[in-house]
Amino acid sequence: MIKNLSLNDCTQENIIEHLKNTEKLLKTVATKLSKEEKDAKIYVMPDLGIAQNATRMLGGFYTGACYTWDTDVPFIPVDATVNVCGTAIYKLNKSISNEEFIKRLNKVLNDRKSYLDFVNAHLPLEVLKTIDINDASKYYWNYTNGNHFIIFAESDGEYGLEKGQYMIVHASAIEFKKDNLEFGLYPVKGNWYYDDIKTEYDEDSKRYLRYITGEKAKRFYDIATYLKDFNKIRNSYFCKAVLGDLLQKEVINISHYGMPTNNSICIGSQWEQLDYALLTAPGNAIYLVHPKLNLNNTFALDNINITLTPHGCGVKMNNSADKIEYLDKNTLKVGNNIFSLGNSVNIGIDVSVRTNGMNEEELDTYILNILKQCPGTVYGKLKQRYAKTKSGDFEFIKEN
């Protein structure tokens, strides 16, 4: 049964129809493996939207949801393309210019030694032995890849957050993605579990669920569990390297992508009962939220109490009339664009960030609507001064 905490816009209504098939496939696999009737449940968040990764959507997984299943035999759906991604925010102890921040940032991004010092200090030796960490084309500070970013922002004290400047990062651990065949979690040919992938087909919906079982599933979860802490350490190390003696304190360091339990996957949804950031759009304010517990988004999952919260506002299709259509087992149509396995959706062209173009008043109202679904209190608002993304550098507040 789908638990709908979305805002029910046209994109979300369309996705929910497809998630019903995802839920059905999860239940089918769980029942088949356990040899008795089992259930699955998907929690749909206010930021439910299009994923950047077409492989993920072809497997039935979208951003802004928590996927859960009940089973007696461990299994994991691999097209959720699990890694662990999160957001970290640090406060500076004094104000600096955009130019000074950019100088410090580029020094670390361009310093190979900074990255190598981190991985040599924090990657387990068994992982280091299996990958060529000196290959700078595969392993590096990936804070400007995909939908990752680095933001320099400021608070004027609104909502009670301490005035001053803040550094925000959003990234996942590249060390455990497609190029790591011994420990990586992406379903790429040649990796440690690829030959053990099983597939459940549903011909009527032209859909499938690819999964691994047993000891391989247990190992997968163990790595995903390790990554919860590793990615936080990674983000912390990077921010501290950039800020140096300017760092005052950590404000937020939370995961919004990973496995809360061995029978669940969150994509674009926090599960830890911690303060979190609501990400918006390029140039727009970022909201800091304290979640309220024991409401419709708080529940026990595999004997662990979790509170699901959205990590942002999500990505929608460009036009209200656009639809998502599964053409065959390897091809997906989103609006007028066709995607195959391995393709990436170009956010900002193929699809749109929901809050892009909103003014401050419209954005405040939108955030309040999100918090009606997943209750919480805004305790801070960060205005972007500068952002570094895969699309380039953007200066939103310039020096006088």
Side-chain angles (χ1 to χ4, degrees):
M1 180 181 73
I2 289 179
K3 173 74 172 180
N4 186 2
L5 298 174
S6 78
L7 300 182
N8 295 307
D9 65 21
C10 295
T11 294
Q12 292 174 338
E13 288 179 350
N14 192 201
I15 290 174
I16 287 171
E17 288 305 306
H18 293 298
L19 288 180
K20 290 176 182 176
N21 286 320
T22 305
E23 196 175 64
K24 174 185 173 183
L25 283 162
L26 285 168
K27 181 177 179 179
T28 298
V29 170
T31 298
K32 180 184 291 186
L33 293 174
S34 302
K35 295 183 171 56
E36 63 176 346
E37 189 73 17
K38 293 295 181 180
D39 202 5
K41 188 172 185 178
I42 299 175
Y43 296 81
V44 172
M45 307 304 290
D47 60 337
L48 177 68
I50 305 299
Q52 183 174 338
N53 187 328
T55 298
R56 187 183 301 163
M57 291 189 292
L58 279 163
F61 297 91
Y62 291 80
T63 304
C66 177
Y67 303 82
T68 74
W69 56 93
D70 180 28
T71 182
D72 294 334
V73 177
F75 82 91
I76 291 173
V78 297
D79 285 317
T81 56
V82 174
N83 192 266
V84 173
C85 189
T87 303
I89 301 177
Y90 289 84
K91 186 181 183 303
L92 281 67
N93 56 29
K94 70 176 182 178
S95 293
I96 59 173
S97 65
N98 289 359
E99 182 181 11
E100 172 66 16
F101 179 79
I102 294 168
K103 179 181 176 181
R104 287 172 172 261
L105 176 61
N106 288 335
K107 181 180 179 181
V108 175
L109 286 174
N110 298 326
D111 180 9
R112 187 65 185 167
K113 183 177 183 300
S114 167
Y115 175 75
L116 292 176
D117 285 348
F118 164 73
V119 291
N120 283 316
H122 293 284
L123 266 185
L125 184 60
E126 61 179 334
V127 178
L128 281 171
K129 286 180 177 178
T130 61
I131 58 178
D132 183 4
I133 211 68
N134 292 308
D135 186 344
S137 68
K138 295 180 178 179
Y139 303 105
Y140 51 91
W141 291 129
N142 59 327
Y143 286 88
T144 56
N145 283 30
N147 64 348
H148 298 169
F149 57 73
I150 304 155
I151 290 174
F152 183 43
E154 64 184 17
S155 165
D156 60 9
E158 190 174 1
Y159 296 106
L161 182 67
E162 189 177 351
K163 290 183 180 180
Q165 295 179 337
Y166 295 77
M167 179 179 179
I168 309 167
V169 295
H170 169 225
S172 58
I174 199 170
E175 297 80 16
F176 291 84
K177 291 191 174 183
K178 61 184 179 66
D179 288 314
N180 185 337
L181 298 181
E182 294 296 325
F183 290 90
L185 299 184
Y186 270 37
V188 293
K189 190 172 183 178
N191 83 351
W192 60 274
Y193 67 76
Y194 190 83
D195 290 340
D196 296 292
I197 293 176
K198 301 176 176 65
T199 306
E200 180 71 28
Y201 289 100
D202 180 14
E203 299 291 350
D204 292 338
S205 61
K206 299 178 183 176
R207 293 280 304 281
Y208 59 83
L209 188 80
R210 298 195 301 170
Y211 62 96
I212 54 175
T213 64
E215 292 303 315
K216 290 285 176 79
K218 290 180 182 178
R219 183 184 182 218
F220 189 108
Y221 176 64
D222 287 344
I223 296 173
T225 299
Y226 164 76
L227 282 175
K228 294 175 192 177
D229 290 330
F230 177 78
N231 200 56
K232 290 182 180 182
I233 293 169
R234 192 180 193 274
N235 286 338
S236 176
Y237 187 101
F238 178 76
C239 290
K240 289 176 181 178
V242 172
L243 297 178
D245 59 355
L246 293 177
L247 189 144
Q248 178 178 324
K249 63 181 178 181
E250 180 179 281
V251 178
I252 285 173
N253 197 346
I254 191 170
S255 302
H256 55 238
Y257 180 18
M259 295 189 69
T261 71
N262 60 341
N263 292 332
S264 64
I265 296 172
C266 277
I267 305 177
S269 173
Q270 288 96 199
W271 62 89
E272 301 165 288
Q273 295 177 328
L274 301 171
D275 292 343
Y276 67 95
L278 259 175
L279 307 174
T280 49
N284 281 350
I286 292 170
Y287 295 73
L288 277 55
V289 180
H290 178 71
K292 292 183 180 178
L293 310 183
N294 300 318
L295 293 161
N296 59 348
N297 57 329
T298 298
F299 55 92
L301 185 61
D302 299 327
N303 298 316
I304 297 174
N305 290 325
I306 69 171
T307 297
L308 296 178
T309 53
H311 83 311
C313 300
V315 175
K316 65 177 182 177
M317 289 182 278
N318 289 331
N319 304 296
S320 60
D322 286 349
K323 299 292 181 184
I324 301 165
E325 185 180 359
Y326 287 82
L327 303 179
D328 55 44
K329 295 169 183 173
N330 298 305
T331 313
L332 177 78
K333 187 176 182 181
V334 179
N336 296 320
N337 302 297
I338 294 177
F339 302 96
S340 301
L341 285 170
N343 290 166
S344 293
V345 178
N346 193 331
I347 297 174
I349 298 178
D350 301 329
V351 292
S352 306
V353 177
R354 278 196 180 91
T355 55
N356 198 35
M358 286 187 181
N359 61 38
E360 189 170 358
E361 184 178 352
E362 290 170 331
L363 188 57
D364 283 342
T365 299
Y366 195 86
I367 298 302
L368 288 176
N369 287 333
I370 286 177
L371 296 180
K372 288 177 183 176
Q373 295 295 89
C374 294
T377 303
V378 174
Y379 72 91
K381 189 174 179 180
L382 294 175
K383 296 180 179 179
Q384 298 186 44
R385 294 177 59 89
Y386 161 84
K388 192 176 190 70
T389 73
K390 75 167 185 178
S391 301
D393 292 32
F394 302 90
E395 198 167 12
F396 303 110
I397 298 177
K398 298 183 179 180
E399 271 74 39
N400 295 326

